[in-house]
Amino acid sequence: MLFEPRSGRLAAWGNALLAGLVSPDEAVLSIVGEDAVHRVAGLPGESGPVGLTLALGRMRALGVTGLRVALPAPGHPLGLSGPPEFNARALEAEEAVVAVGAAMGLVPEVTEAGPAGDVHVEVVWRCLPVREAPPADVPSLGEAERELAEALREATRALTRLDVAGSGPVADAALSAYRARAEAGRDVLAPGYPARAVRVLSLAQRVDLMVSLAYENGHGGAVAASEMAARAEALRPVERVARRALVAAYNAAVEERGRD
């Protein structure tokens, strides 16, 4: 139930590979995760879709030095810089990866097949031209951390008032799973990321989990349409802050190298 976008995995482990901190096999295994296969289509110099290992090598040869994440939503082009075609595709997918050092970006197209419990997921990353310009509305890690702390306090107060804190057995199980995964020492980010980025990403994922639980399990006393609208109004700015923090965390490796 943790929000771990595919664009985040691609950017994090792609950055580690570009920095020489992990092997191609380790990077690709971590990017693919539980999916069946990832390919990249439309890459300059390639006539058809290619595997991630070849694609990342080709991108390096084309001048790519880093990867950034974009997590746009309607009215909030977070991490995007244009042109309109790329922005529209990224908005439809709700995520994208933007290259640093070459004017290209990748948008995932996800295909699922198979019965429930045995779903086969294939991802094709569509390579498109991007505009080389500062990404929209991406905060620094420090800003993201402060915003998250304040948003978490405000959301907790608002949801408690509305009796939609997301309690109950389903919520308890999800929170227990989150804690178990965190205590197991999972790789929150790839090698090469500062400790603050790991902290910000973990907090952003926890906030996203709280929001998801409030939406899915938190009806509580908020049964009237007006009360449910109030719940959505309380959660909307928290979701926005969490997405900004996720982008700041995933982009931190690139920003750190840029300051060296």
Side-chain angles (χ1 to χ4, degrees), residues 111-151:
T111 302
E112 297 183 354
D118 188 25
V119 177
H120 180 91
V121 179
E122 295 188 3
V123 180
V124 174
W125 293 91
R126 187 70 55 183
C127 184
L128 297 164
V130 299
R131 181 180 299 136
E132 294 185 285
D137 198 36
V138 177
S140 68
L141 277 175
E143 291 170 332
E145 194 168 30
R146 290 191 295 273
E147 288 177 1
L148 274 173
E150 179 59 28

PDB file of all heavy atoms in Angstrom, residues 111-151:
ATOM      1  N   THR A 111       0.455  -2.241 -18.993  1.00  0.00           N
ATOM      2  CA  THR A 111      -0.521  -3.218 -19.476  1.00  0.00           C
ATOM      3  C   THR A 111      -0.609  -4.363 -18.466  1.00  0.00           C
ATOM      4  O   THR A 111       0.419  -4.909 -18.053  1.00  0.00           O
ATOM      5  CB  THR A 111      -0.104  -3.795 -20.842  1.00  0.00           C
ATOM      6  OG1 THR A 111       0.046  -2.719 -21.777  1.00  0.00           O
ATOM      7  CG2 THR A 111      -1.148  -4.759 -21.363  1.00  0.00           C
ATOM      8  N   GLU A 112      -1.831  -4.702 -18.073  1.00  0.00           N
ATOM      9  CA  GLU A 112      -2.055  -5.795 -17.129  1.00  0.00           C
ATOM     10  C   GLU A 112      -2.882  -6.893 -17.787  1.00  0.00           C
ATOM     11  O   GLU A 112      -3.836  -6.606 -18.516  1.00  0.00           O
ATOM     12  CB  GLU A 112      -2.773  -5.286 -15.874  1.00  0.00           C
ATOM     13  CG  GLU A 112      -1.978  -4.257 -15.081  1.00  0.00           C
ATOM     14  CD  GLU A 112      -2.692  -3.836 -13.809  1.00  0.00           C
ATOM     15  OE1 GLU A 112      -3.855  -4.272 -13.619  1.00  0.00           O
ATOM     16  OE2 GLU A 112      -2.103  -3.085 -13.019  1.00  0.00           O
ATOM     17  N   ALA A 113      -2.526  -8.136 -17.508  1.00  0.00           N
ATOM     18  CA  ALA A 113      -3.275  -9.271 -18.045  1.00  0.00           C
ATOM     19  C   ALA A 113      -3.233 -10.417 -17.046  1.00  0.00           C
ATOM     20  O   ALA A 113      -2.299 -10.532 -16.250  1.00  0.00           O
ATOM     21  CB  ALA A 113      -2.681  -9.712 -19.382  1.00  0.00           C
ATOM     22  N   GLY A 114      -4.260 -11.257 -17.089  1.00  0.00           N
ATOM     23  CA  GLY A 114      -4.289 -12.413 -16.204  1.00  0.00           C
ATOM     24  C   GLY A 114      -5.351 -12.286 -15.135  1.00  0.00           C
ATOM     25  O   GLY A 114      -5.881 -11.208 -14.876  1.00  0.00           O
ATOM     26  N   PRO A 115      -5.665 -13.408 -14.459  1.00  0.00           N
ATOM     27  CA  PRO A 115      -6.699 -13.406 -13.419  1.00  0.00           C
ATOM     28  C   PRO A 115      -6.220 -12.728 -12.142  1.00  0.00           C
ATOM     29  O   PRO A 115      -5.017 -12.542 -11.936  1.00  0.00           O
ATOM     30  CB  PRO A 115      -6.949 -14.906 -13.182  1.00  0.00           C
ATOM     31  CG  PRO A 115      -5.628 -15.538 -13.517  1.00  0.00           C
ATOM     32  CD  PRO A 115      -5.063 -14.732 -14.655  1.00  0.00           C
ATOM     33  N   ALA A 116      -7.159 -12.372 -11.298  1.00  0.00           N
ATOM     34  CA  ALA A 116      -6.828 -11.766 -10.011  1.00  0.00           C
ATOM     35  C   ALA A 116      -5.913 -12.692  -9.228  1.00  0.00           C
ATOM     36  O   ALA A 116      -6.129 -13.902  -9.168  1.00  0.00           O
ATOM     37  CB  ALA A 116      -8.103 -11.487  -9.221  1.00  0.00           C
ATOM     38  N   GLY A 117      -4.872 -12.111  -8.655  1.00  0.00           N
ATOM     39  CA  GLY A 117      -3.907 -12.893  -7.905  1.00  0.00           C
ATOM     40  C   GLY A 117      -2.758 -13.395  -8.741  1.00  0.00           C
ATOM     41  O   GLY A 117      -1.767 -13.888  -8.203  1.00  0.00           O
ATOM     42  N   ASP A 118      -2.892 -13.296 -10.064  1.00  0.00           N
ATOM     43  CA  ASP A 118      -1.811 -13.741 -10.961  1.00  0.00           C
ATOM     44  C   ASP A 118      -1.739 -12.779 -12.154  1.00  0.00           C
ATOM     45  O   ASP A 118      -1.735 -13.203 -13.311  1.00  0.00           O
ATOM     46  CB  ASP A 118      -2.075 -15.175 -11.433  1.00  0.00           C
ATOM     47  CG  ASP A 118      -0.873 -15.755 -12.202  1.00  0.00           C
ATOM     48  OD1 ASP A 118       0.268 -15.281 -11.959  1.00  0.00           O
ATOM     49  OD2 ASP A 118      -1.092 -16.636 -13.047  1.00  0.00           O
ATOM     50  N   VAL A 119      -1.678 -11.506 -11.831  1.00  0.00           N
ATOM     51  CA  VAL A 119      -1.682 -10.472 -12.865  1.00  0.00           C
ATOM     52  C   VAL A 119      -0.273 -10.292 -13.421  1.00  0.00           C
ATOM     53  O   VAL A 119       0.697 -10.176 -12.671  1.00  0.00           O
ATOM     54  CB  VAL A 119      -2.213  -9.133 -12.306  1.00  0.00           C
ATOM     55  CG1 VAL A 119      -2.137  -8.051 -13.371  1.00  0.00           C
ATOM     56  CG2 VAL A 119      -3.647  -9.298 -11.824  1.00  0.00           C
ATOM     57  N   HIS A 120      -0.170 -10.285 -14.722  1.00  0.00           N
ATOM     58  CA  HIS A 120       1.094 -10.121 -15.437  1.00  0.00           C
ATOM     59  C   HIS A 120       1.175  -8.660 -15.899  1.00  0.00           C
ATOM     60  O   HIS A 120       0.333  -8.197 -16.666  1.00  0.00           O
ATOM     61  CB  HIS A 120       1.100 -11.070 -16.640  1.00  0.00           C
ATOM     62  CG  HIS A 120       2.340 -11.003 -17.466  1.00  0.00           C
ATOM     63  ND1 HIS A 120       3.427 -11.814 -17.233  1.00  0.00           N
ATOM     64  CD2 HIS A 120       2.675 -10.225 -18.529  1.00  0.00           C
ATOM     65  CE1 HIS A 120       4.371 -11.552 -18.130  1.00  0.00           C
ATOM     66  NE2 HIS A 120       3.940 -10.585 -18.922  1.00  0.00           N
ATOM     67  N   VAL A 121       2.165  -7.918 -15.402  1.00  0.00           N
ATOM     68  CA  VAL A 121       2.272  -6.485 -15.687  1.00  0.00           C
ATOM     69  C   VAL A 121       3.476  -6.211 -16.577  1.00  0.00           C
ATOM     70  O   VAL A 121       4.602  -6.592 -16.243  1.00  0.00           O
ATOM     71  CB  VAL A 121       2.399  -5.664 -14.381  1.00  0.00           C
ATOM     72  CG1 VAL A 121       2.521  -4.173 -14.714  1.00  0.00           C
ATOM     73  CG2 VAL A 121       1.194  -5.902 -13.484  1.00  0.00           C
ATOM     74  N   GLU A 122       3.218  -5.570 -17.697  1.00  0.00           N
ATOM     75  CA  GLU A 122       4.287  -5.140 -18.598  1.00  0.00           C
ATOM     76  C   GLU A 122       4.269  -3.618 -18.693  1.00  0.00           C
ATOM     77  O   GLU A 122       3.199  -3.009 -18.739  1.00  0.00           O
ATOM     78  CB  GLU A 122       4.105  -5.748 -19.987  1.00  0.00           C
ATOM     79  CG  GLU A 122       4.246  -7.260 -20.016  1.00  0.00           C
ATOM     80  CD  GLU A 122       4.255  -7.806 -21.438  1.00  0.00           C
ATOM     81  OE1 GLU A 122       4.216  -6.983 -22.386  1.00  0.00           O
ATOM     82  OE2 GLU A 122       4.310  -9.036 -21.587  1.00  0.00           O
ATOM     83  N   VAL A 123       5.454  -3.018 -18.699  1.00  0.00           N
ATOM     84  CA  VAL A 123       5.572  -1.565 -18.763  1.00  0.00           C
ATOM     85  C   VAL A 123       6.427  -1.183 -19.960  1.00  0.00           C
ATOM     86  O   VAL A 123       7.527  -1.716 -20.138  1.00  0.00           O
ATOM     87  CB  VAL A 123       6.215  -0.994 -17.469  1.00  0.00           C
ATOM     88  CG1 VAL A 123       6.327   0.529 -17.559  1.00  0.00           C
ATOM     89  CG2 VAL A 123       5.399  -1.403 -16.244  1.00  0.00           C
ATOM     90  N   VAL A 124       5.895  -0.291 -20.788  1.00  0.00           N
ATOM     91  CA  VAL A 124       6.663   0.299 -21.879  1.00  0.00           C
ATOM     92  C   VAL A 124       6.857   1.778 -21.555  1.00  0.00           C
ATOM     93  O   VAL A 124       5.883   2.519 -21.377  1.00  0.00           O
ATOM     94  CB  VAL A 124       5.953   0.147 -23.240  1.00  0.00           C
ATOM     95  CG1 VAL A 124       6.712   0.909 -24.326  1.00  0.00           C
ATOM     96  CG2 VAL A 124       5.820  -1.317 -23.614  1.00  0.00           C
ATOM     97  N   TRP A 125       8.107   2.184 -21.445  1.00  0.00           N
ATOM     98  CA  TRP A 125       8.432   3.595 -21.211  1.00  0.00           C
ATOM     99  C   TRP A 125       8.539   4.291 -22.569  1.00  0.00           C
ATOM    100  O   TRP A 125       9.410   3.964 -23.368  1.00  0.00           O
ATOM    101  CB  TRP A 125       9.744   3.725 -20.443  1.00  0.00           C
ATOM    102  CG  TRP A 125       9.658   3.211 -19.036  1.00  0.00           C
ATOM    103  CD1 TRP A 125       9.924   1.946 -18.612  1.00  0.00           C
ATOM    104  CD2 TRP A 125       9.274   3.953 -17.880  1.00  0.00           C
ATOM    105  NE1 TRP A 125       9.726   1.848 -17.255  1.00  0.00           N
ATOM    106  CE2 TRP A 125       9.333   3.060 -16.777  1.00  0.00           C
ATOM    107  CE3 TRP A 125       8.898   5.279 -17.658  1.00  0.00           C
ATOM    108  CZ2 TRP A 125       9.026   3.453 -15.476  1.00  0.00           C
ATOM    109  CZ3 TRP A 125       8.587   5.682 -16.366  1.00  0.00           C
ATOM    110  CH2 TRP A 125       8.651   4.785 -15.292  1.00  0.00           C
ATOM    111  N   ARG A 126       7.635   5.237 -22.834  1.00  0.00           N
ATOM    112  CA  ARG A 126       7.623   5.949 -24.105  1.00  0.00           C
ATOM    113  C   ARG A 126       8.566   7.148 -24.021  1.00  0.00           C
ATOM    114  O   ARG A 126       8.399   8.028 -23.181  1.00  0.00           O
ATOM    115  CB  ARG A 126       6.204   6.423 -24.413  1.00  0.00           C
ATOM    116  CG  ARG A 126       6.006   7.030 -25.781  1.00  0.00           C
ATOM    117  CD  ARG A 126       6.111   6.016 -26.879  1.00  0.00           C
ATOM    118  NE  ARG A 126       5.200   4.883 -26.699  1.00  0.00           N
ATOM    119  CZ  ARG A 126       5.169   3.841 -27.514  1.00  0.00           C
ATOM    120  NH1 ARG A 126       5.999   3.772 -28.544  1.00  0.00           N
ATOM    121  NH2 ARG A 126       4.326   2.839 -27.290  1.00  0.00           N
ATOM    122  N   CYS A 127       9.592   7.154 -24.871  1.00  0.00           N
ATOM    123  CA  CYS A 127      10.580   8.237 -24.875  1.00  0.00           C
ATOM    124  C   CYS A 127      10.094   9.364 -25.789  1.00  0.00           C
ATOM    125  O   CYS A 127       9.749   9.129 -26.951  1.00  0.00           O
ATOM    126  CB  CYS A 127      11.926   7.705 -25.356  1.00  0.00           C
ATOM    127  SG  CYS A 127      13.253   8.934 -25.282  1.00  0.00           S
ATOM    128  N   LEU A 128      10.058  10.588 -25.242  1.00  0.00           N
ATOM    129  CA  LEU A 128       9.558  11.748 -25.979  1.00  0.00           C
ATOM    130  C   LEU A 128      10.480  12.941 -25.736  1.00  0.00           C
ATOM    131  O   LEU A 128      11.168  13.014 -24.705  1.00  0.00           O
ATOM    132  CB  LEU A 128       8.143  12.105 -25.509  1.00  0.00           C
ATOM    133  CG  LEU A 128       7.049  11.059 -25.726  1.00  0.00           C
ATOM    134  CD1 LEU A 128       5.843  11.388 -24.865  1.00  0.00           C
ATOM    135  CD2 LEU A 128       6.659  11.001 -27.193  1.00  0.00           C
ATOM    136  N   PRO A 129      10.481  13.910 -26.660  1.00  0.00           N
ATOM    137  CA  PRO A 129      11.270  15.129 -26.426  1.00  0.00           C
ATOM    138  C   PRO A 129      10.692  15.949 -25.277  1.00  0.00           C
ATOM    139  O   PRO A 129       9.474  15.993 -25.065  1.00  0.00           O
ATOM    140  CB  PRO A 129      11.135  15.893 -27.755  1.00  0.00           C
ATOM    141  CG  PRO A 129      10.637  14.906 -28.742  1.00  0.00           C
ATOM    142  CD  PRO A 129       9.832  13.906 -27.975  1.00  0.00           C
ATOM    143  N   VAL A 130      11.561  16.590 -24.516  1.00  0.00           N
ATOM    144  CA  VAL A 130      11.132  17.508 -23.464  1.00  0.00           C
ATOM    145  C   VAL A 130      11.828  18.848 -23.649  1.00  0.00           C
ATOM    146  O   VAL A 130      12.841  18.957 -24.332  1.00  0.00           O
ATOM    147  CB  VAL A 130      11.443  16.969 -22.048  1.00  0.00           C
ATOM    148  CG1 VAL A 130      10.724  15.655 -21.795  1.00  0.00           C
ATOM    149  CG2 VAL A 130      12.938  16.814 -21.843  1.00  0.00           C
ATOM    150  N   ARG A 131      11.246  19.859 -23.019  1.00  0.00           N
ATOM    151  CA  ARG A 131      11.843  21.188 -23.047  1.00  0.00           C
ATOM    152  C   ARG A 131      12.862  21.292 -21.913  1.00  0.00           C
ATOM    153  O   ARG A 131      12.561  20.933 -20.773  1.00  0.00           O
ATOM    154  CB  ARG A 131      10.759  22.249 -22.891  1.00  0.00           C
ATOM    155  CG  ARG A 131      11.262  23.684 -22.939  1.00  0.00           C
ATOM    156  CD  ARG A 131      10.109  24.657 -22.775  1.00  0.00           C
ATOM    157  NE  ARG A 131       9.133  24.506 -23.858  1.00  0.00           N
ATOM    158  CZ  ARG A 131       7.818  24.479 -23.666  1.00  0.00           C
ATOM    159  NH1 ARG A 131       7.311  24.535 -22.441  1.00  0.00           N
ATOM    160  NH2 ARG A 131       7.002  24.355 -24.701  1.00  0.00           N
ATOM    161  N   GLU A 132      14.038  21.758 -22.221  1.00  0.00           N
ATOM    162  CA  GLU A 132      15.071  21.931 -21.193  1.00  0.00           C
ATOM    163  C   GLU A 132      14.814  23.232 -20.448  1.00  0.00           C
ATOM    164  O   GLU A 132      15.147  24.320 -20.918  1.00  0.00           O
ATOM    165  CB  GLU A 132      16.459  21.911 -21.827  1.00  0.00           C
ATOM    166  CG  GLU A 132      16.812  20.555 -22.417  1.00  0.00           C
ATOM    167  CD  GLU A 132      18.225  20.492 -22.944  1.00  0.00           C
ATOM    168  OE1 GLU A 132      18.460  21.065 -24.027  1.00  0.00           O
ATOM    169  OE2 GLU A 132      19.087  19.886 -22.280  1.00  0.00           O
ATOM    170  N   ALA A 133      14.174  23.115 -19.296  1.00  0.00           N
ATOM    171  CA  ALA A 133      13.800  24.265 -18.469  1.00  0.00           C
ATOM    172  C   ALA A 133      13.620  23.777 -17.042  1.00  0.00           C
ATOM    173  O   ALA A 133      13.472  22.571 -16.803  1.00  0.00           O
ATOM    174  CB  ALA A 133      12.506  24.895 -18.984  1.00  0.00           C
ATOM    175  N   PRO A 134      13.642  24.676 -16.054  1.00  0.00           N
ATOM    176  CA  PRO A 134      13.447  24.254 -14.663  1.00  0.00           C
ATOM    177  C   PRO A 134      12.099  23.550 -14.487  1.00  0.00           C
ATOM    178  O   PRO A 134      11.087  23.997 -15.031  1.00  0.00           O
ATOM    179  CB  PRO A 134      13.488  25.574 -13.884  1.00  0.00           C
ATOM    180  CG  PRO A 134      14.271  26.504 -14.757  1.00  0.00           C
ATOM    181  CD  PRO A 134      13.934  26.115 -16.167  1.00  0.00           C
ATOM    182  N   PRO A 135      12.051  22.437 -13.748  1.00  0.00           N
ATOM    183  CA  PRO A 135      10.787  21.732 -13.532  1.00  0.00           C
ATOM    184  C   PRO A 135       9.849  22.535 -12.646  1.00  0.00           C
ATOM    185  O   PRO A 135      10.282  23.311 -11.779  1.00  0.00           O
ATOM    186  CB  PRO A 135      11.226  20.436 -12.839  1.00  0.00           C
ATOM    187  CG  PRO A 135      12.528  20.779 -12.187  1.00  0.00           C
ATOM    188  CD  PRO A 135      13.193  21.780 -13.085  1.00  0.00           C
ATOM    189  N   ALA A 136       8.546  22.340 -12.847  1.00  0.00           N
ATOM    190  CA  ALA A 136       7.540  23.126 -12.150  1.00  0.00           C
ATOM    191  C   ALA A 136       7.354  22.693 -10.704  1.00  0.00           C
ATOM    192  O   ALA A 136       7.155  21.509 -10.424  1.00  0.00           O
ATOM    193  CB  ALA A 136       6.203  23.024 -12.889  1.00  0.00           C
ATOM    194  N   ASP A 137       7.437  23.668  -9.792  1.00  0.00           N
ATOM    195  CA  ASP A 137       6.959  23.536  -8.410  1.00  0.00           C
ATOM    196  C   ASP A 137       7.662  22.470  -7.578  1.00  0.00           C
ATOM    197  O   ASP A 137       7.066  21.882  -6.681  1.00  0.00           O
ATOM    198  CB  ASP A 137       5.443  23.262  -8.410  1.00  0.00           C
ATOM    199  CG  ASP A 137       4.808  23.558  -7.049  1.00  0.00           C
ATOM    200  OD1 ASP A 137       5.250  24.518  -6.399  1.00  0.00           O
ATOM    201  OD2 ASP A 137       3.883  22.826  -6.646  1.00  0.00           O
ATOM    202  N   VAL A 138       8.931  22.188  -7.852  1.00  0.00           N
ATOM    203  CA  VAL A 138       9.655  21.181  -7.070  1.00  0.00           C
ATOM    204  C   VAL A 138      10.366  21.871  -5.908  1.00  0.00           C
ATOM    205  O   VAL A 138      11.203  22.745  -6.123  1.00  0.00           O
ATOM    206  CB  VAL A 138      10.674  20.433  -7.944  1.00  0.00           C
ATOM    207  CG1 VAL A 138      11.459  19.434  -7.091  1.00  0.00           C
ATOM    208  CG2 VAL A 138       9.959  19.708  -9.082  1.00  0.00           C
ATOM    209  N   PRO A 139      10.060  21.481  -4.659  1.00  0.00           N
ATOM    210  CA  PRO A 139      10.692  22.122  -3.506  1.00  0.00           C
ATOM    211  C   PRO A 139      12.058  21.523  -3.207  1.00  0.00           C
ATOM    212  O   PRO A 139      12.424  20.465  -3.725  1.00  0.00           O
ATOM    213  CB  PRO A 139       9.719  21.812  -2.368  1.00  0.00           C
ATOM    214  CG  PRO A 139       9.179  20.459  -2.738  1.00  0.00           C
ATOM    215  CD  PRO A 139       9.088  20.450  -4.246  1.00  0.00           C
ATOM    216  N   SER A 140      12.801  22.200  -2.354  1.00  0.00           N
ATOM    217  CA  SER A 140      14.028  21.611  -1.830  1.00  0.00           C
ATOM    218  C   SER A 140      13.648  20.556  -0.789  1.00  0.00           C
ATOM    219  O   SER A 140      12.497  20.494  -0.325  1.00  0.00           O
ATOM    220  CB  SER A 140      14.894  22.684  -1.170  1.00  0.00           C
ATOM    221  OG  SER A 140      14.256  23.170   0.008  1.00  0.00           O
ATOM    222  N   LEU A 141      14.620  19.737  -0.407  1.00  0.00           N
ATOM    223  CA  LEU A 141      14.348  18.731   0.624  1.00  0.00           C
ATOM    224  C   LEU A 141      13.927  19.379   1.938  1.00  0.00           C
ATOM    225  O   LEU A 141      13.022  18.896   2.621  1.00  0.00           O
ATOM    226  CB  LEU A 141      15.592  17.865   0.847  1.00  0.00           C
ATOM    227  CG  LEU A 141      15.811  16.703  -0.105  1.00  0.00           C
ATOM    228  CD1 LEU A 141      17.142  16.031   0.195  1.00  0.00           C
ATOM    229  CD2 LEU A 141      14.684  15.682  -0.017  1.00  0.00           C
ATOM    230  N   GLY A 142      14.600  20.473   2.296  1.00  0.00           N
ATOM    231  CA  GLY A 142      14.252  21.158   3.538  1.00  0.00           C
ATOM    232  C   GLY A 142      12.828  21.679   3.520  1.00  0.00           C
ATOM    233  O   GLY A 142      12.076  21.534   4.494  1.00  0.00           O
ATOM    234  N   GLU A 143      12.430  22.317   2.403  1.00  0.00           N
ATOM    235  CA  GLU A 143      11.060  22.809   2.272  1.00  0.00           C
ATOM    236  C   GLU A 143      10.066  21.659   2.341  1.00  0.00           C
ATOM    237  O   GLU A 143       9.031  21.758   3.019  1.00  0.00           O
ATOM    238  CB  GLU A 143      10.903  23.544   0.941  1.00  0.00           C
ATOM    239  CG  GLU A 143      11.642  24.855   0.852  1.00  0.00           C
ATOM    240  CD  GLU A 143      11.644  25.408  -0.568  1.00  0.00           C
ATOM    241  OE1 GLU A 143      11.582  24.607  -1.524  1.00  0.00           O
ATOM    242  OE2 GLU A 143      11.711  26.639  -0.714  1.00  0.00           O
ATOM    243  N   ALA A 144      10.366  20.574   1.651  1.00  0.00           N
ATOM    244  CA  ALA A 144       9.459  19.425   1.628  1.00  0.00           C
ATOM    245  C   ALA A 144       9.266  18.843   3.026  1.00  0.00           C
ATOM    246  O   ALA A 144       8.146  18.490   3.413  1.00  0.00           O
ATOM    247  CB  ALA A 144       9.998  18.361   0.687  1.00  0.00           C
ATOM    248  N   GLU A 145      10.353  18.753   3.781  1.00  0.00           N
ATOM    249  CA  GLU A 145      10.262  18.180   5.129  1.00  0.00           C
ATOM    250  C   GLU A 145       9.403  19.053   6.037  1.00  0.00           C
ATOM    251  O   GLU A 145       8.564  18.563   6.795  1.00  0.00           O
ATOM    252  CB  GLU A 145      11.662  18.005   5.707  1.00  0.00           C
ATOM    253  CG  GLU A 145      11.714  17.122   6.938  1.00  0.00           C
ATOM    254  CD  GLU A 145      13.135  16.737   7.295  1.00  0.00           C
ATOM    255  OE1 GLU A 145      14.077  17.515   7.014  1.00  0.00           O
ATOM    256  OE2 GLU A 145      13.310  15.651   7.866  1.00  0.00           O
ATOM    257  N   ARG A 146       9.596  20.367   5.957  1.00  0.00           N
ATOM    258  CA  ARG A 146       8.785  21.284   6.784  1.00  0.00           C
ATOM    259  C   ARG A 146       7.316  21.236   6.373  1.00  0.00           C
ATOM    260  O   ARG A 146       6.417  21.209   7.233  1.00  0.00           O
ATOM    261  CB  ARG A 146       9.328  22.709   6.663  1.00  0.00           C
ATOM    262  CG  ARG A 146      10.678  22.916   7.344  1.00  0.00           C
ATOM    263  CD  ARG A 146      11.036  24.388   7.415  1.00  0.00           C
ATOM    264  NE  ARG A 146      11.245  24.961   6.092  1.00  0.00           N
ATOM    265  CZ  ARG A 146      12.415  24.950   5.441  1.00  0.00           C
ATOM    266  NH1 ARG A 146      13.463  24.359   5.992  1.00  0.00           N
ATOM    267  NH2 ARG A 146      12.531  25.517   4.262  1.00  0.00           N
ATOM    268  N   GLU A 147       7.056  21.222   5.070  1.00  0.00           N
ATOM    269  CA  GLU A 147       5.677  21.176   4.586  1.00  0.00           C
ATOM    270  C   GLU A 147       4.980  19.888   5.033  1.00  0.00           C
ATOM    271  O   GLU A 147       3.816  19.899   5.419  1.00  0.00           O
ATOM    272  CB  GLU A 147       5.651  21.256   3.058  1.00  0.00           C
ATOM    273  CG  GLU A 147       5.998  22.617   2.494  1.00  0.00           C
ATOM    274  CD  GLU A 147       6.031  22.605   0.974  1.00  0.00           C
ATOM    275  OE1 GLU A 147       5.766  21.531   0.377  1.00  0.00           O
ATOM    276  OE2 GLU A 147       6.320  23.660   0.388  1.00  0.00           O
ATOM    277  N   LEU A 148       5.696  18.780   4.969  1.00  0.00           N
ATOM    278  CA  LEU A 148       5.118  17.497   5.365  1.00  0.00           C
ATOM    279  C   LEU A 148       4.728  17.479   6.835  1.00  0.00           C
ATOM    280  O   LEU A 148       3.643  17.012   7.200  1.00  0.00           O
ATOM    281  CB  LEU A 148       6.111  16.370   5.092  1.00  0.00           C
ATOM    282  CG  LEU A 148       6.137  15.756   3.701  1.00  0.00           C
ATOM    283  CD1 LEU A 148       7.303  14.790   3.590  1.00  0.00           C
ATOM    284  CD2 LEU A 148       4.832  15.045   3.382  1.00  0.00           C
ATOM    285  N   ALA A 149       5.610  17.971   7.670  1.00  0.00           N
ATOM    286  CA  ALA A 149       5.328  17.967   9.112  1.00  0.00           C
ATOM    287  C   ALA A 149       4.080  18.788   9.423  1.00  0.00           C
ATOM    288  O   ALA A 149       3.209  18.359  10.193  1.00  0.00           O
ATOM    289  CB  ALA A 149       6.529  18.507   9.876  1.00  0.00           C
ATOM    290  N   GLU A 150       3.966  19.960   8.798  1.00  0.00           N
ATOM    291  CA  GLU A 150       2.811  20.817   9.034  1.00  0.00           C
ATOM    292  C   GLU A 150       1.550  20.200   8.447  1.00  0.00           C
ATOM    293  O   GLU A 150       0.484  20.215   9.081  1.00  0.00           O
ATOM    294  CB  GLU A 150       3.062  22.196   8.421  1.00  0.00           C
ATOM    295  CG  GLU A 150       1.906  23.181   8.589  1.00  0.00           C
ATOM    296  CD  GLU A 150       1.547  23.443  10.038  1.00  0.00           C
ATOM    297  OE1 GLU A 150       2.444  23.337  10.908  1.00  0.00           O
ATOM    298  OE2 GLU A 150       0.377  23.755  10.323  1.00  0.00           O
ATOM    299  N   ALA A 151       1.649  19.646   7.241  1.00  0.00           N
ATOM    300  CA  ALA A 151       0.480  19.035   6.606  1.00  0.00           C
ATOM    301  C   ALA A 151      -0.024  17.845   7.407  1.00  0.00           C
ATOM    302  O   ALA A 151      -1.233  17.629   7.519  1.00  0.00           O
ATOM    303  CB  ALA A 151       0.831  18.602   5.188  1.00  0.00           C
TER     304      ALA A 151
END
